[in-house]
Amino acid sequence: MKTRTEDQHRSTLFVCLVAGIAALAGLLFGYDTGVISGAILFIKQQFLLTPGREEMVVSAVLLGAVIGASVSGGVADYFGRRRSIIVTAVLFLFGAVGSSLAPSIVVLVSCRVLIGLAIGVASFVAPLYISEIAPPHMRGGLVSLNQLMITIGIMVAYVVDDAFSGGASWRWMFGLGAVPAMVLMVGMIFLPPSPRWLVSRKDLDKARAVLSRVRGGGDVEEELRAVQGTMDQEAGGWSELFRPWVRPVLFVGVALAFFQQATGINTVIYYAPTIFEFAGFGSAKQAIGATTIVGTVNVLMTVVAVWLLDRVGRRPLLLAGLAGMVVSLGVLGAAFHFSKFSDALKWIAVGSLICYIASFAVSLGPIFWLIIAEIYPLRIRGRAMSLATVANWVFNFLVAMTFLTITDTLGKAGAFWLYAGIAIAGFVFCYVFIPETKGRTLEEIEEHLRSGRSLRSLGS
Ligand code: BGC
């Protein structure tokens, strides 16, 4: 006879498998945003692109992501999280195959927009789905598997770009994205729908069955009742997003999106070689080496975050990471400011960039996606998350577009000090507004907000 512990062990493994498969959406997010940096060099040559067209090819994904995230919130609430991820996988698949075979630049840009649409949807539906299936004591780590996969996807893209650069095979660089897309599609077909979404669609029997499966056969009635309790309130569609008790949480999501992007992470992810060149490392080989170090530190420190989020909690990591970002950006700026005085300062620039990426990886990187998957009421969770996600992509786009202009206007030191200033504001913002959500059920968080109390008073 099976014991209860055996059942629990099995269901824990099953939940990890579910999260691991859904997080492939994160791998595709990272891969498809990262792969363009290497591919563009060869596309530019083959299609004789003007700078304007080159920019179009590079930013097609960001544009698609903004559109994808803005149109899909209602879809995730109506058709469900699992189905939305399956559609996303199909888009990733078509986009990968299409862009690898593209006969013209118009087809290529269209396929990249298609991939962008998929990224926009996947970026919030995957963490949403995982958060609704995970048991509260493992939710932080499991949801952040998605961020871990993003960082691995970026790393794999760098490696693939490097491997195919000898033969200028940009078509292979894009085409390989079809493999994880296929695994995601097939895998998701076999996974259960989110039990919380099932309750929101009034399918209680199925919700009970899924919950029993992911909670190790124990008593799930209490959890089911709590989820149902949040659905007994009156409905309000999109207008519910702007109710007085929801508005402040909406603001927190959008503000966190701002801080995640405006503290400059993607200037490092997209322009690491350029920054190393600024710092005085001349050769392409050195620049690629440096980029690999940045990618590796990003992955490793995200592993640390996955491990720590449910142990020490979200707030300590968020605040410590932001403090690290402030200091390292300040030092990076200073290294540029005084660079003419000593050649050794370029090593300080490298060191501070590595500390910066490590600090981001344990804080704003995973915690933005985690917090927005935790704080919104079930009935409008998809729509509210999509709003914070759109904000994230819009700020991402703006920072990427303005980085080189800002370094021209304010100087390199000025640019990093500007990001440091924003990180200080981010620290204060998180200190004042972000509560500790470790170990709380999603329903406890929702109940707390419904009762009219502030998000922050949930706990420290
Ligand atoms: C951010 C991306 C960023 C990535 C880097 C994600 O959480 O949303 O914009 O490129 O982290 O690891």
Side-chain angles (χ1 to χ4, degrees), residues 29 147 150-151 154 260-261 266 269 298 360 365 369 392 396:
F29 167 169
Q147 172 70 15
I150 296 175
T151 61
I154 294 174
Q260 198 207 39
Q261 294 299 326
N266 286 314
I269 299 288
N298 197 13
F360 173 86
W369 298 107
N392 190 280
N396 183 336

PDB file of all heavy atoms in Angstrom, residues 29 147 150-151 154 260-261 266 269 298 360 365 369 392 396, ligand 1:
ATOM      1  N   PHE A  29      11.857  32.521 -24.382  1.00  0.00           N
ATOM      2  CA  PHE A  29      11.911  33.980 -24.172  1.00  0.00           C
ATOM      3  C   PHE A  29      13.376  34.423 -24.219  1.00  0.00           C
ATOM      4  O   PHE A  29      13.781  35.301 -24.995  1.00  0.00           O
ATOM      5  CB  PHE A  29      11.233  34.263 -22.817  1.00  0.00           C
ATOM      6  CG  PHE A  29      11.384  35.613 -22.168  1.00  0.00           C
ATOM      7  CD1 PHE A  29      10.578  35.936 -21.074  1.00  0.00           C
ATOM      8  CD2 PHE A  29      12.286  36.577 -22.590  1.00  0.00           C
ATOM      9  CE1 PHE A  29      10.679  37.160 -20.420  1.00  0.00           C
ATOM     10  CE2 PHE A  29      12.406  37.813 -21.942  1.00  0.00           C
ATOM     11  CZ  PHE A  29      11.618  38.085 -20.856  1.00  0.00           C
ATOM     12  N   GLN A 147      12.459  32.327 -14.620  1.00  0.00           N
ATOM     13  CA  GLN A 147      13.542  33.302 -14.790  1.00  0.00           C
ATOM     14  C   GLN A 147      14.871  32.581 -15.022  1.00  0.00           C
ATOM     15  O   GLN A 147      15.678  33.006 -15.841  1.00  0.00           O
ATOM     16  CB  GLN A 147      13.639  34.210 -13.554  1.00  0.00           C
ATOM     17  CG  GLN A 147      14.837  35.145 -13.524  1.00  0.00           C
ATOM     18  CD  GLN A 147      14.764  36.265 -14.554  1.00  0.00           C
ATOM     19  OE1 GLN A 147      13.699  36.527 -15.120  1.00  0.00           O
ATOM     20  NE2 GLN A 147      15.869  36.925 -14.821  1.00  0.00           N
ATOM     21  N   ILE A 150      15.013  31.724 -18.486  1.00  0.00           N
ATOM     22  CA  ILE A 150      15.283  32.894 -19.342  1.00  0.00           C
ATOM     23  C   ILE A 150      16.796  33.093 -19.438  1.00  0.00           C
ATOM     24  O   ILE A 150      17.365  33.264 -20.516  1.00  0.00           O
ATOM     25  CB  ILE A 150      14.629  34.179 -18.766  1.00  0.00           C
ATOM     26  CG1 ILE A 150      13.099  34.057 -18.752  1.00  0.00           C
ATOM     27  CG2 ILE A 150      15.052  35.415 -19.567  1.00  0.00           C
ATOM     28  CD1 ILE A 150      12.375  35.241 -18.094  1.00  0.00           C
ATOM     29  N   THR A 151      17.451  33.046 -18.267  1.00  0.00           N
ATOM     30  CA  THR A 151      18.895  33.303 -18.266  1.00  0.00           C
ATOM     31  C   THR A 151      19.644  32.188 -19.011  1.00  0.00           C
ATOM     32  O   THR A 151      20.609  32.453 -19.725  1.00  0.00           O
ATOM     33  CB  THR A 151      19.450  33.429 -16.830  1.00  0.00           C
ATOM     34  OG1 THR A 151      19.228  32.194 -16.140  1.00  0.00           O
ATOM     35  CG2 THR A 151      18.803  34.545 -16.060  1.00  0.00           C
ATOM     36  N   ILE A 154      19.252  32.819 -22.715  1.00  0.00           N
ATOM     37  CA  ILE A 154      20.151  33.877 -23.205  1.00  0.00           C
ATOM     38  C   ILE A 154      21.554  33.281 -23.423  1.00  0.00           C
ATOM     39  O   ILE A 154      22.200  33.501 -24.450  1.00  0.00           O
ATOM     40  CB  ILE A 154      20.215  35.049 -22.193  1.00  0.00           C
ATOM     41  CG1 ILE A 154      18.849  35.746 -22.100  1.00  0.00           C
ATOM     42  CG2 ILE A 154      21.299  36.043 -22.581  1.00  0.00           C
ATOM     43  CD1 ILE A 154      18.748  36.819 -21.024  1.00  0.00           C
ATOM     44  N   GLN A 260      12.630  47.273 -12.847  1.00  0.00           N
ATOM     45  CA  GLN A 260      13.392  46.147 -13.405  1.00  0.00           C
ATOM     46  C   GLN A 260      14.128  46.559 -14.687  1.00  0.00           C
ATOM     47  O   GLN A 260      15.251  46.151 -14.934  1.00  0.00           O
ATOM     48  CB  GLN A 260      12.473  44.947 -13.708  1.00  0.00           C
ATOM     49  CG  GLN A 260      13.290  43.667 -13.860  1.00  0.00           C
ATOM     50  CD  GLN A 260      12.677  42.601 -14.741  1.00  0.00           C
ATOM     51  OE1 GLN A 260      12.081  42.878 -15.775  1.00  0.00           O
ATOM     52  NE2 GLN A 260      12.832  41.350 -14.331  1.00  0.00           N
ATOM     53  N   GLN A 261      13.469  47.392 -15.495  1.00  0.00           N
ATOM     54  CA  GLN A 261      14.077  47.757 -16.772  1.00  0.00           C
ATOM     55  C   GLN A 261      14.927  49.026 -16.709  1.00  0.00           C
ATOM     56  O   GLN A 261      15.986  49.086 -17.314  1.00  0.00           O
ATOM     57  CB  GLN A 261      12.971  47.913 -17.837  1.00  0.00           C
ATOM     58  CG  GLN A 261      12.265  46.614 -18.165  1.00  0.00           C
ATOM     59  CD  GLN A 261      13.201  45.558 -18.739  1.00  0.00           C
ATOM     60  OE1 GLN A 261      14.141  45.876 -19.453  1.00  0.00           O
ATOM     61  NE2 GLN A 261      12.963  44.301 -18.402  1.00  0.00           N
ATOM     62  N   ASN A 266      19.100  45.544 -19.475  1.00  0.00           N
ATOM     63  CA  ASN A 266      19.291  45.117 -20.857  1.00  0.00           C
ATOM     64  C   ASN A 266      20.348  45.916 -21.606  1.00  0.00           C
ATOM     65  O   ASN A 266      20.767  45.507 -22.685  1.00  0.00           O
ATOM     66  CB  ASN A 266      17.949  45.075 -21.595  1.00  0.00           C
ATOM     67  CG  ASN A 266      17.162  43.867 -21.111  1.00  0.00           C
ATOM     68  OD1 ASN A 266      17.703  42.765 -21.013  1.00  0.00           O
ATOM     69  ND2 ASN A 266      15.912  44.072 -20.739  1.00  0.00           N
ATOM     70  N   ILE A 269      22.723  43.192 -20.982  1.00  0.00           N
ATOM     71  CA  ILE A 269      22.426  41.968 -21.737  1.00  0.00           C
ATOM     72  C   ILE A 269      22.627  42.194 -23.246  1.00  0.00           C
ATOM     73  O   ILE A 269      23.182  41.355 -23.941  1.00  0.00           O
ATOM     74  CB  ILE A 269      20.971  41.505 -21.470  1.00  0.00           C
ATOM     75  CG1 ILE A 269      20.780  41.182 -19.984  1.00  0.00           C
ATOM     76  CG2 ILE A 269      20.575  40.328 -22.332  1.00  0.00           C
ATOM     77  CD1 ILE A 269      21.441  39.921 -19.497  1.00  0.00           C
ATOM     78  N   ASN A 298      24.873  35.457 -14.535  1.00  0.00           N
ATOM     79  CA  ASN A 298      23.420  35.642 -14.514  1.00  0.00           C
ATOM     80  C   ASN A 298      22.716  34.313 -14.209  1.00  0.00           C
ATOM     81  O   ASN A 298      21.840  34.239 -13.334  1.00  0.00           O
ATOM     82  CB  ASN A 298      22.976  36.201 -15.885  1.00  0.00           C
ATOM     83  CG  ASN A 298      21.592  36.804 -15.863  1.00  0.00           C
ATOM     84  OD1 ASN A 298      21.018  37.050 -14.806  1.00  0.00           O
ATOM     85  ND2 ASN A 298      21.037  37.056 -17.036  1.00  0.00           N
ATOM     86  N   PHE A 360      21.354  41.847  -9.716  1.00  0.00           N
ATOM     87  CA  PHE A 360      20.074  41.821 -10.430  1.00  0.00           C
ATOM     88  C   PHE A 360      19.489  40.403 -10.402  1.00  0.00           C
ATOM     89  O   PHE A 360      18.297  40.209 -10.176  1.00  0.00           O
ATOM     90  CB  PHE A 360      20.276  42.277 -11.886  1.00  0.00           C
ATOM     91  CG  PHE A 360      19.048  42.115 -12.751  1.00  0.00           C
ATOM     92  CD1 PHE A 360      18.076  43.112 -12.792  1.00  0.00           C
ATOM     93  CD2 PHE A 360      18.850  40.971 -13.516  1.00  0.00           C
ATOM     94  CE1 PHE A 360      16.930  42.963 -13.580  1.00  0.00           C
ATOM     95  CE2 PHE A 360      17.710  40.808 -14.300  1.00  0.00           C
ATOM     96  CZ  PHE A 360      16.750  41.814 -14.332  1.00  0.00           C
ATOM     97  N   GLY A 365      15.451  40.537 -11.089  1.00  0.00           N
ATOM     98  CA  GLY A 365      15.272  39.584 -12.198  1.00  0.00           C
ATOM     99  C   GLY A 365      14.116  38.644 -11.912  1.00  0.00           C
ATOM    100  O   GLY A 365      13.055  38.722 -12.546  1.00  0.00           O
ATOM    101  N   TRP A 369       8.822  39.076 -11.752  1.00  0.00           N
ATOM    102  CA  TRP A 369       7.857  38.121 -12.328  1.00  0.00           C
ATOM    103  C   TRP A 369       7.118  37.362 -11.231  1.00  0.00           C
ATOM    104  O   TRP A 369       5.948  37.007 -11.371  1.00  0.00           O
ATOM    105  CB  TRP A 369       8.562  37.146 -13.272  1.00  0.00           C
ATOM    106  CG  TRP A 369       9.193  37.845 -14.445  1.00  0.00           C
ATOM    107  CD1 TRP A 369      10.531  38.050 -14.651  1.00  0.00           C
ATOM    108  CD2 TRP A 369       8.523  38.476 -15.555  1.00  0.00           C
ATOM    109  NE1 TRP A 369      10.731  38.757 -15.822  1.00  0.00           N
ATOM    110  CE2 TRP A 369       9.513  39.032 -16.402  1.00  0.00           C
ATOM    111  CE3 TRP A 369       7.180  38.629 -15.922  1.00  0.00           C
ATOM    112  CZ2 TRP A 369       9.218  39.720 -17.577  1.00  0.00           C
ATOM    113  CZ3 TRP A 369       6.879  39.315 -17.106  1.00  0.00           C
ATOM    114  CH2 TRP A 369       7.881  39.844 -17.911  1.00  0.00           C
ATOM    115  N   ASN A 392       6.555  46.338 -18.689  1.00  0.00           N
ATOM    116  CA  ASN A 392       7.929  45.825 -18.699  1.00  0.00           C
ATOM    117  C   ASN A 392       8.529  45.890 -20.107  1.00  0.00           C
ATOM    118  O   ASN A 392       9.654  46.359 -20.296  1.00  0.00           O
ATOM    119  CB  ASN A 392       7.921  44.387 -18.172  1.00  0.00           C
ATOM    120  CG  ASN A 392       9.315  43.852 -17.921  1.00  0.00           C
ATOM    121  OD1 ASN A 392      10.001  43.428 -18.855  1.00  0.00           O
ATOM    122  ND2 ASN A 392       9.757  43.894 -16.679  1.00  0.00           N
ATOM    123  N   ASN A 396      11.530  48.236 -21.433  1.00  0.00           N
ATOM    124  CA  ASN A 396      12.663  47.529 -22.033  1.00  0.00           C
ATOM    125  C   ASN A 396      13.031  48.201 -23.366  1.00  0.00           C
ATOM    126  O   ASN A 396      14.191  48.546 -23.618  1.00  0.00           O
ATOM    127  CB  ASN A 396      12.229  46.068 -22.263  1.00  0.00           C
ATOM    128  CG  ASN A 396      13.335  45.181 -22.817  1.00  0.00           C
ATOM    129  OD1 ASN A 396      14.272  45.668 -23.432  1.00  0.00           O
ATOM    130  ND2 ASN A 396      13.237  43.884 -22.606  1.00  0.00           N
TER     131      ASN A 396
HETATM  132  C1  BGC B   1      13.963  40.599 -17.729  1.00  0.00           C
HETATM  133  C2  BGC B   1      14.614  40.714 -19.094  1.00  0.00           C
HETATM  134  C3  BGC B   1      16.099  40.484 -18.955  1.00  0.00           C
HETATM  135  C4  BGC B   1      16.386  39.179 -18.236  1.00  0.00           C
HETATM  136  C5  BGC B   1      17.855  39.028 -17.955  1.00  0.00           C
HETATM  137  C6  BGC B   1      14.271  39.261 -17.147  1.00  0.00           C
HETATM  138  O1  BGC B   1      13.652  39.138 -15.900  1.00  0.00           O
HETATM  139  O2  BGC B   1      12.569  40.786 -17.836  1.00  0.00           O
HETATM  140  O3  BGC B   1      14.332  41.975 -19.640  1.00  0.00           O
HETATM  141  O4  BGC B   1      16.712  40.442 -20.230  1.00  0.00           O
HETATM  142  O5  BGC B   1      15.673  39.123 -17.009  1.00  0.00           O
HETATM  143  O6  BGC B   1      18.164  37.906 -17.197  1.00  0.00           O
END
